[in-house]
Amino acid sequence: MQCFSGQILRAGVGCALHPDVCAVSMGTDNGETLPESIPSAPGTLPHFIEEPDDAYIIKSNPIALRCKARPAMQIFFKCNGEWVHQNEHVSEESLDESSGLKVREVFINVTRQQVEDFHGPEDYWCQCVAWSHLGTSKSRKASVRIAYLRKNFEQDPQGREVPIEGMIVLHCRPPEGVPAAEVEWLKNEEPIDSEQDENIDTRADHNLIIRQARLSDSGNYTCMAANIVAKRRSLSATVVVYVNGGWSSWTEWSACNVRCGRGWQKRSRTCTNPAPLNGGAFCEGMSVQKITCTSLCPVDGSWEVWSEWSVCSPECEHLRIRECTAPPPRNGGKFCEGLSQESENCTDGLCILDKKPLHEIKPQSIENASDIALYSGLGAAVVAVAVLVIGVTLYRRSQSDYGVDVIDSSALTGGFQTFNFKTVRQGNPLLLNSSMQPDLTVSRTYSGPICLQDPLDKELMTESSLFNPLSDIKVKVQSSFMVSLGVSERAEYHGKNHSGTFPHGNNRSFSTMHPRNKTPYIQNLSSLPTRTELRTTGVFGHLGGRLVMPNTGVSLLIPHGAIPEENSWEIYMSINQGEPSLQSDGSEVLLSPEVTCGPPDMTVTTPFALTIPHCADVSSEHWNIHLKKRTQQGKWEEVMSVEDESTSCYCLLDPFACHVLLDSFGTYALTGEPITDCAVKQLKVAVFGCMSCNSLDYNLRVYCVDNTPWAFQEVVSDERHQGGQLLEEPKLLHFKGNTFSLQISVLDIPPFLWRIKPFTACQEVPFSRVWCSNQQPLHCAFSLERYTPTTTQLSCKICIRQLKGHEQILQVQTSILESERETITFFAQEDSTFPAQTGPKAFKIPYSIRQRICATFDTPNAKGKDWQMLAQKNSINRNLSYFATQSSPSAVILNLWEARHQHDGDLDSLACALEEIGRTHTKLSNITESQLDEADFNYSRQNGL
């Protein structure tokens, strides 16, 4: 059958459901036909005024779909391609007053069951179809879905701790739902309006973004998801905006705590710029700095003895004076009390009246006699002065002759003389004491001016019999003012010396040959004793202790509990004073003394700490530094590189010392392999002086030694032996591994008072001798001569510089008279006067505080606030795996701290670390600064610091 616009309704469906729409029944039960005419405008298709909207079924409530069209004879719904039965339609009809057209509105209900029963590729949908006499019109498809919202969020926001002005991003993925849930953010249960705060953005995938965190942004944030079915709340996320602490400016240095002598000054700063907030990090570094200070002690003046009385004045008086110079007042000391001059009558009251002196009324004969006596005295004085001048001239000429014969012959070399004598055979007639047995086990070098004032001396040194008959004596002239005599086992060794080299090593001791007394000098060459071993010992038990080798920088810390209870061991420590047994390989150099600790068969349950000084300017970019150990066979093996990760030992490299944690005793040393030419060895340069056997000469000896306390102590020992005086505080010279040599020169010698022989004011040391000195001092000597014996003050400069490198100037300002010299201390800080310290007094940290620290930090913490934090706060950031293998990592860290801060004098660094960590550890809150200060005071008092 044909419907409007030629469309055919399905038989048994369209016509059966809507019989009034069909024109012919075509054999169906309902044969109703559509009306032949309708009251609507001809030629008009239906127009939908209202189309069905998408709808959601909430719970079990049906929804109504509405449709309205004009002009329309009938309107029916079609759902999922099937017509909805007429009985399910609710239809209303009205007339549009403006156009006179019929308006029809139809409703249907869709239930939850209908939607659930539908199983198709699409959502459940319904569509309106409206008829007019010209045809049909179809509305849009409206989908019908069951609304829901699941309970659990796909992603809850997570709490964050961010620094101030950092970015905060909180992620939120709402639960699955239909329709999709809308997200809203709450802060402390109050909605966040991103429209009013430009710093907050909530538009990106439901995430909350705070571009620059402010302190006010701290709080609890909640993600709210809601749709037409329900609302869901996420878990709350706590956001903490913290502020890291910053140091304030340093205060001014306090006054020296002692009025006289060596004390300390300190300055402080506070972590208030800004103060840490909301768990922000405490300031890194020390809150208190201390430096040593020396307050010059006041010296009160004292009077010299009175001078002789002056001649009698015309007023019949004579005077005498005295000066306040024995000593003069210094550093605020009191001036001498009393008069500086006295006068008294010199005629015993014989002056005549009218204040005329007695000599004015003497007879003429008396005046003539006085004049004769005066002129006779003046003549005798002139003759005496002339004789004295002639005598001094002859004496100087005799000295000059010797210099031409022996010394000046090598003046053009610019170096100094070195006479190397192999030990002569017994019975040699040239020796004045040939029956003496020489010591063939020791080699010595005697450097210094040799006085040969007797003619026999000159004959001994210049006769060819001294040099030619003996094949085992080698002579090498290297300079014009210094002679070195050495005893060696091998004559051929001297042929290997290079011009310009310097005597070095353990073979040095200065001696003077006195005129007309040769025998003691020859004895000194062969019978000087070898050096005693530098060694210290102590007996230690379960309480542990500390073994210190004074003024060497070497120490050994035996921790508490390292030795089992009821056991005790005699532990020793020594430094090799002979030639180093560690032979350098390739470019490797020795940076420390060879330190032995023992007994070797002793075992410890906790690693002990060995502190070894070194002379490297520490930089991982320029040095590769190794710890080596000598085996029982005498070979050296590498234990580890200080930059390596190891669980067998630990090396902590400080600027001037290396602290090593070990579990076995033996002989250890540090070596360094320079990686670049910028690798630097630190040298200590010092100048000593002493009078020569010639009363007009003065000797300056300049030392360049590796910057370790032990190496400098060797120099000090030698100088004390020969009466040398330190003339200036030693200074550090940075010597680069760039192959350039070292120059030492004397500058600004006062003219007309002092002189130095030509071409000898500058000396040069080859690079290899300095770089590979192996802890053995190098020195260079200069001989200055006064023009007159009345010159007692010496002022000059010693310049030590590396070509294309660092330079140091030593200012010499001294009196050559021993009674007028000021003593300069050899060591600025003396080590403890107790080499062996046992029990609690050997440790700075009291045992009770130590136990509480270990109990707090040995337990692992998920946030890292355990022993790893203790290590970090004490600047131990490398090779932490070593501590993880220990039964008590915190105890080992504290042992390392004890070794590292042996000379600090206070517990400020530990107090600063505990002050910061204590904010999050209540177990440490009762460890106050006053307790640590008291412990520091007790340690200093017990150890004489």
Side-chain angles (χ1 to χ4, degrees):
M1 128 181 123
Q2 184 175 0
C3 298
F4 298 103
S5 67
Q7 296 184 10
I8 300 176
L9 295 176
R10 296 173 182 171
V13 177
C15 296
L17 296 177
H18 312 287
D20 56 338
V21 183
C22 298
V24 182
S25 65
M26 296 185 68
T28 60
D29 295 336
N30 298 321
E32 300 180 12
T33 62
L34 291 174
E36 297 181 356
S37 63
I38 56 174
S40 60
T44 302
L45 289 174
H47 170 70
F48 285 98
I49 301 174
E50 181 178 351
E51 296 184 83
D53 293 326
D54 295 337
Y56 297 94
I57 296 177
I58 301 173
K59 299 182 179 178
S60 298
N61 300 322
I63 55 99
L65 296 181
R66 180 190 302 265
C67 190
K68 181 186 293 186
R70 69 179 179 188
M73 291 172 31
Q74 290 292 343
I75 298 177
F76 292 98
F77 275 93
K78 197 175 189 179
C79 293
N80 302 320
E82 301 290 338
W83 292 103
V84 179
H85 198 278
Q86 183 180 5
N87 295 337
E88 296 179 8
H89 290 73
V90 177
S91 179
E92 294 181 359
E93 189 176 287
S94 62
L95 187 67
D96 187 351
E97 297 179 356
S98 61
S99 62
L101 298 177
K102 183 183 293 184
V103 177
R104 184 175 292 275
E105 184 176 6
V106 177
F107 304 88
I108 66 170
N109 288 329
V110 179
T111 64
R112 182 186 185 99
Q113 188 65 39
Q114 288 177 299
V115 176
E116 290 179 346
D117 290 344
F118 173 71
H119 302 286
E122 300 178 309
D123 291 332
Y124 190 97
W125 61 269
C126 293
Q127 183 181 41
C128 286
V129 180
W131 282 267
S132 71
H133 72 284
L134 291 182
T136 63
S137 296
K138 295 181 180 180
S139 70
R140 65 177 293 273
K141 290 182 179 180
S143 64
V144 180
R145 304 174 67 186
I146 298 175
Y148 67 93
L149 184 63
R150 301 194 185 280
K151 293 183 178 180
N152 297 325
F153 278 74
E154 294 184 4
Q155 182 179 2
D156 287 299
Q158 300 296 318
R160 297 285 306 279
E161 293 183 2
V162 294
I164 193 168
E165 297 186 356
M167 177 179 285
I168 303 175
V169 178
L170 297 181
H171 298 279
C172 175
R173 293 177 60 188
E176 180 186 352
V178 174
E182 297 290 332
V183 171
E184 180 184 24
W185 283 92
L186 305 179
K187 175 189 173 186
N188 299 331
E189 302 302 325
E190 294 293 331
I192 296 175
D193 188 355
S194 60
E195 299 292 334
Q196 297 181 359
D197 192 343
E198 296 180 352
N199 194 39
I200 297 177
D201 185 4
T202 58
R203 295 170 296 177
D205 297 330
H206 310 304
N207 299 328
L208 174 67
I209 300 175
I210 301 178
R211 296 182 179 89
Q212 287 187 322
R214 303 155 295 194
L215 289 176
S216 59
D217 292 325
S218 297
N220 295 321
Y221 288 80
T222 307
C223 181
M224 288 285 297
N227 65 4
I228 59 177
V229 179
K231 290 184 179 181
R232 301 283 187 256
R233 290 172 57 97
S234 70
L235 299 176
S236 293
T238 301
V239 173
V240 177
V241 180
Y242 62 84
V243 179
N244 291 325
W247 288 115
S248 65
S249 300
W250 287 103
T251 61
E252 296 294 328
W253 287 106
S254 66
C256 199
N257 68 325
V258 295
R259 180 175 175 270
C260 172
R262 182 176 294 275
W264 51 263
Q265 295 173 277
K266 73 175 182 178
R267 64 176 182 175
S268 61
R269 56 181 177 175
T270 57
C271 190
T272 56
N273 186 32
L277 292 176
N278 298 335
F282 198 79
C283 303
E284 294 285 346
M286 302 293 294
S287 61
V288 177
Q289 279 187 345
K290 288 186 180 181
I291 59 173
T292 58
C293 57
T294 301
S295 299
L296 299 176
C297 297
V299 178
D300 295 336
S302 181
W303 291 113
E304 288 277 8
V305 296
W306 286 103
S307 66
E308 297 295 331
W309 288 103
S310 67
V311 296
C312 200
S313 70
E315 287 79 15
C316 301
E317 290 183 343
H318 60 180
L319 302 175
R320 66 173 182 176
I321 62 173
R322 60 179 178 175
E323 295 182 349
C324 188
T325 58
R330 295 194 303 270
N331 309 325
K334 297 180 181 178
F335 197 80
C336 304
E337 296 181 358
L339 299 176
S340 61
Q341 69 177 32
E342 286 184 345
S343 64
E344 65 179 21
N345 190 283
C346 55
T347 61
D348 293 331
L350 298 180
C351 284
I352 62 174
L353 297 175
D354 300 328
K355 298 183 180 179
K356 291 183 179 180
L358 185 60
H359 69 273
E360 292 184 1
I361 60 174
K362 286 183 180 179
Q364 187 67 29
S365 60
I366 297 178
E367 290 185 4
N368 295 336
S370 299
D371 292 342
I372 294 171
L374 175 61
Y375 292 135
S376 299
L378 289 175
V382 170
V383 173
V385 169
V387 172
L388 179 60
V389 170
I390 294 172
V392 170
T393 302
L394 293 176
Y395 173 78
R396 294 281 299 278
R397 182 170 299 174
S398 66
Q399 296 300 310
S400 176
D401 290 343
Y402 165 70
V404 171
D405 290 344
V406 176
I407 299 180
D408 289 343
S409 62
S410 62
L412 296 179
T413 62
F416 60 86
Q417 295 133 330
T418 301
F419 287 75
N420 293 305
F421 290 83
K422 181 175 178 180
T423 306
V424 298
R425 294 179 292 272
Q426 182 176 358
N428 194 314
L430 288 176
L431 293 181
L432 300 181
N433 187 2
S434 58
S435 62
M436 183 182 304
Q437 288 291 336
D439 185 358
L440 299 180
T441 63
V442 63
S443 175
R444 289 281 185 260
T445 299
Y446 299 84
S447 303
I450 298 180
C451 298
L452 302 174
Q453 298 174 350
D454 193 291
L456 180 60
D457 297 277
K458 186 157 57 174
E459 180 181 356
L460 175 63
M461 295 299 296
T462 58
E463 270 207 289
S464 60
S465 61
L466 177 63
F467 305 106
N468 297 335
L470 298 179
S471 60
D472 54 357
I473 296 181
K474 301 290 183 181
V475 179
K476 191 172 185 74
V477 179
Q478 292 176 314
S479 166
S480 62
F481 60 89
M482 183 175 123
V483 178
S484 295
L485 297 173
V487 181
S488 174
E489 291 183 339
R490 298 171 299 172
E492 58 273 14
Y493 167 80
H494 308 290
K496 299 178 182 179
N497 284 343
H498 301 284
S499 178
T501 56
F502 286 65
H504 73 291
N506 223 24
N507 311 327
R508 68 194 185 289
S509 176
F510 296 91
S511 179
T512 300
M513 182 190 291
H514 299 282
R516 295 183 176 85
N517 189 6
K518 318 280 187 311
T519 303
Y521 179 73
I522 300 299
Q523 290 174 345
N524 284 340
L525 287 179
S526 59
S527 62
L528 277 177
T530 59
R531 297 189 183 277
T532 58
E533 184 183 25
L534 197 57
R535 179 186 176 101
T536 183
T537 62
V539 178
F540 297 91
H542 182 70
L543 297 180
R546 193 190 302 267
L547 192 60
V548 178
M549 196 166 294
N551 298 325
T552 64
V554 178
S555 64
L556 182 67
L557 183 77
I558 307 297
H560 179 97
I563 300 175
E565 292 190 47
E566 301 180 358
N567 287 357
S568 62
W569 286 84
E570 181 180 10
I571 298 176
Y572 64 85
M573 187 167 56
S574 64
I575 295 179
N576 177 21
Q577 288 188 286
E579 289 291 335
S581 61
L582 197 160
Q583 300 300 322
S584 301
D585 296 332
S587 60
E588 198 173 46
V589 294
L590 184 64
L591 298 177
S592 75
E594 297 175 1
V595 179
T596 301
C597 53
D601 57 342
M602 175 183 169
T603 58
V604 291
T605 59
T606 302
F608 61 88
L610 178 63
T611 298
I612 305 177
H614 66 80
C615 61
D617 189 358
V618 179
S619 173
S620 59
E621 298 178 357
H622 307 309
W623 280 105
N624 188 8
I625 298 178
H626 307 274
L627 175 69
K628 292 196 173 184
K629 181 180 181 181
R630 188 171 63 192
T631 63
Q632 294 181 351
Q633 292 76 25
K635 295 182 179 180
W636 286 87
E637 294 180 348
E638 180 175 332
V639 179
M640 69 174 295
S641 172
V642 295
E643 296 297 328
D644 288 346
E645 298 283 331
S646 173
T647 57
S648 60
C649 65
Y650 187 89
C651 289
L652 180 61
L653 196 64
D654 278 346
F656 298 103
C658 183
H659 311 283
V660 189
L661 295 176
L662 300 163
D663 53 12
S664 63
F665 290 95
T667 301
Y668 295 91
L670 291 174
T671 63
E673 183 179 358
I675 301 175
T676 68
D677 288 347
C678 295
V680 171
K681 276 183 64 175
Q682 293 181 342
L683 303 180
K684 181 172 290 186
V685 293
V687 57
F688 290 80
C690 70
M691 290 292 294
S692 170
C693 55
N694 183 344
S695 60
L696 294 179
D697 290 347
Y698 190 76
N699 292 330
L700 295 177
R701 289 185 290 275
V702 182
Y703 289 87
C704 298
V705 300
D706 290 347
N707 184 34
T708 58
W710 168 79
F712 188 62
Q713 188 187 36
E714 290 285 283
V715 174
V716 170
S717 176
D718 283 340
E719 286 294 334
R720 281 176 174 164
H721 176 71
Q722 63 178 339
Q725 177 72 26
L726 183 64
L727 303 182
E728 170 69 337
E729 288 282 351
K731 295 184 178 180
L732 283 184
L733 180 75
H734 298 285
F735 191 79
K736 288 186 177 181
N738 56 10
T739 71
F740 287 98
S741 58
L742 186 72
Q743 281 188 350
I744 305 173
S745 54
V746 182
L747 307 174
D748 298 343
I749 300 174
F752 309 113
L753 296 178
W754 295 85
R755 67 179 178 183
I756 189 170
K757 293 185 183 297
F759 309 109
T760 63
C762 180
Q763 301 186 32
E764 187 167 327
V765 187
F767 168 81
S768 60
R769 297 299 300 275
V770 181
W771 190 253
C772 301
S773 58
N774 291 336
Q775 299 286 300
Q776 304 301 312
L778 300 172
H779 83 276
C780 174
F782 298 87
S783 181
L784 306 181
E785 183 181 5
R786 294 179 287 172
Y787 281 95
T788 64
T790 58
T791 301
T792 61
Q793 298 294 322
L794 173 61
S795 174
C796 65
K797 294 180 181 178
I798 308 293
C799 176
I800 304 103
R801 74 183 187 96
Q802 184 185 17
L803 299 179
K804 297 186 179 181
H806 190 215
E807 177 182 86
Q808 280 289 10
I809 299 292
L810 298 177
Q811 181 69 53
V812 176
Q813 185 80 37
T814 186
S815 171
I816 65 174
L817 300 180
E818 186 173 354
S819 60
E820 298 180 3
R821 280 200 303 250
E822 290 189 8
T823 301
I824 300 176
T825 57
F826 291 118
F827 293 96
Q829 177 179 357
E830 294 286 334
D831 281 326
S832 171
T833 55
F834 308 100
Q837 303 163 301
T838 60
K841 67 180 181 179
F843 303 96
K844 288 189 175 185
I845 307 174
Y847 185 64
S848 58
I849 295 180
R850 183 188 181 93
Q851 283 183 311
R852 282 148 61 188
I853 294 175
C854 293
T856 301
F857 291 106
D858 279 346
T859 303
N861 186 290
K863 295 184 178 181
K865 297 178 179 179
D866 48 19
W867 60 266
Q868 298 184 57
M869 175 180 284
L870 181 64
Q872 178 186 0
K873 297 304 178 184
N874 285 282
S875 302
I876 302 173
N877 302 312
R878 186 187 53 79
N879 196 13
L880 296 184
S881 58
Y882 172 82
F883 300 98
T885 62
Q886 305 298 321
S887 59
S888 176
S890 303
V892 180
I893 293 172
L894 294 179
N895 294 338
L896 192 58
W897 185 94
E898 289 274 4
R900 191 179 193 183
H901 296 274
Q902 177 181 351
H903 295 298
D904 280 4
D906 55 47
L907 292 166
D908 286 345
S909 62
L910 183 63
C912 179
L914 294 182
E915 178 185 356
E916 176 183 353
I917 302 173
R919 294 182 294 106
T920 55
H921 285 281
T922 56
K923 294 181 180 179
L924 299 180
S925 59
N926 54 352
I927 301 179
T928 63
E929 183 177 359
S930 60
Q931 288 178 312
L932 295 173
D933 286 343
E934 181 181 359
D936 175 41
F937 173 78
N938 293 334
Y939 178 85
S940 301
R941 181 183 61 183
Q942 293 169 354
N943 295 280
L945 298 179

